[in-house]
Amino acid sequence: MGQYLLGVVILLVVYFTIFFVIAQILKNNSIVDIGWGLGFVVLSVYSLIYTSITSTLTFTQIIITILVGLWGLRLFTYIGIRNFKKPEDFRYIQMRKKWGQKNVFMKAYFKVFMAQAAFMFIISLPILSAYTTTKNANSIFLILGIVVFLIGLIFESVGDYQLRTFVKNINNKGHIMQSGLWKYTRHPNYFGETLIWWGLWIIVLSLPFFYISIISPVLITGLLLFVSGVPLLEKKYKNNPEFQEYAKRTSIFFPLPPVKVEKTVKFK
């Protein structure tokens, strides 16, 4: 187990170092976002190959690798197409401004790329739990976890597709997406992302290290709800009148039926 985990750490360091070099050539640190989904696929495939050589693969390990592959490759393709030839994301521009002029490359390497590597290791705990045991998951947990995962994948995939279709329509420029899944939650893609990791955790509930693995869905849920996901976008549009009206009737995260908002009539 120790050799396997050490291999995962080395893999992640090398993987994100490659993305760091590419980012410095392109002068765009936001390229790290493209590497996020693909990184989990690389980690899962490495785990699959390592285990097939050193031990015997379990059905649970194969299922988890397939699920992670579906999610990771879709996310990699979506973000890659979305960010292709786009300027650096505003979040990374703000980071550059805070860093000043000293040791910019080292700060980028450790505060962006190695930080992503560390987060990926922690978030991947359900995957690592499956690959550090020869036990198969309980069939009930396996089925339940797959269902939760697929619901999350649908929310994330459909939400992203609906938003991209909306943005590509020039008639929607300056407007807020409010239809489809976005009618029931202001962040269907983030909601789906959390379900994906809760689903993977449910799958490993009967495996030895499930109690450590809960850090993964808790962390990703906390980050998206309170740090880097929902808060940043809510702040970005908080002064937009159309968004304010949208926010009054639409759940911020969990999908719920829209709230009917009564319009007040002003008399002169």
Side-chain angles (χ1 to χ4, degrees):
M1 183 174 72
Q3 287 184 337
Y4 163 66
L5 293 177
L6 177 61
V8 169
V9 171
I10 295 172
L11 175 73
L12 293 178
V13 170
V14 172
Y15 177 79
F16 279 102
T17 298
I18 292 171
F19 268 86
F20 167 74
V21 172
I22 296 172
Q24 303 321 300
I25 294 172
L26 298 177
K27 297 181 180 180
N28 185 346
N29 285 330
S30 59
I31 196 174
V32 72
D33 294 340
I34 298 175
W36 179 250
L38 183 63
F40 287 98
V41 179
V42 172
L43 185 153
S44 297
V45 171
Y46 162 78
S47 300
L48 189 77
I49 295 171
Y50 180 91
T51 304
S52 65
I53 294 173
T54 61
S55 183
T56 303
L57 287 171
T58 66
F59 182 68
T60 303
Q61 293 166 347
I62 294 171
I63 290 295
I64 283 184
T65 301
I66 292 172
L67 293 177
V68 172
L70 286 173
W71 166 77
L73 290 175
R74 187 213 71 86
L75 187 63
F76 166 70
T77 303
Y78 173 76
I79 295 180
I81 293 173
R82 186 191 68 183
N83 293 0
F84 183 66
K85 292 186 177 180
K86 292 283 183 67
E88 189 174 44
D89 187 272
F90 74 96
R91 294 169 298 163
Y92 298 95
I93 294 175
Q94 290 178 345
M95 287 183 191
R96 287 181 185 276
K97 291 179 180 178
K98 289 181 180 179
W99 294 340
Q101 301 299 319
K102 291 184 178 180
N103 302 318
V104 175
F105 293 115
M106 293 300 293
K107 289 176 181 176
Y109 182 70
F110 287 104
K111 292 188 176 183
V112 176
F113 294 87
M114 288 302 101
Q116 286 276 39
F119 275 127
M120 185 169 289
F121 183 87
I122 296 171
I123 300 300
S124 66
L125 284 175
I127 305 170
L128 302 180
S129 293
Y131 275 101
T132 50
T133 180
T134 56
K135 288 183 61 179
N136 261 311
N138 176 283
S139 57
I140 295 176
F141 290 141
L142 180 66
I143 294 170
L144 180 59
I146 290 173
V147 170
V148 172
F149 177 95
L150 292 177
I151 293 173
L153 185 62
I154 289 170
F155 262 88
E156 186 178 73
S157 305
V158 174
D160 282 342
Y161 173 77
Q162 290 174 340
L163 180 61
R164 182 165 177 79
T165 302
F166 178 84
V167 171
K168 286 172 67 176
N169 189 335
I170 58 173
N171 295 324
N172 295 326
K173 188 174 182 179
H175 292 288
I176 301 296
M177 175 66 174
Q178 303 179 44
S179 58
L181 293 178
W182 301 80
K183 181 180 179 180
Y184 305 99
T185 165
R186 304 205 292 271
H187 305 279
N189 46 354
Y190 290 154
F191 173 73
E193 177 82 0
T194 60
L195 283 189
I196 282 168
W197 292 102
W198 282 108
L200 290 175
W201 179 70
I202 290 171
I203 290 175
V204 301
L205 261 176
S206 62
L207 300 183
F209 297 104
F210 78 91
Y211 52 91
I212 298 176
S213 301
I214 197 173
I215 296 172
S216 167
V218 168
L219 178 60
I220 198 69
T221 302
L223 287 173
L224 290 177
L225 265 176
F226 306 112
V227 183
S228 63
V230 172
L232 286 178
L233 285 177
E234 293 285 314
K235 183 179 180 180
K236 182 178 179 180
Y237 294 106
K238 68 176 183 179
N239 295 322
N240 184 312
E242 186 177 346
F243 180 80
Q244 291 172 356
E245 291 299 316
Y246 170 60
K248 288 178 183 178
R249 62 178 180 273
T250 309
S251 170
I252 188 171
F253 193 69
F254 295 98
L256 294 170
V259 176
K260 291 184 178 180
V261 180
E262 295 184 3
K263 294 183 179 180
T264 56
V265 180
K266 295 181 179 181
F267 297 96
K268 292 183 178 180

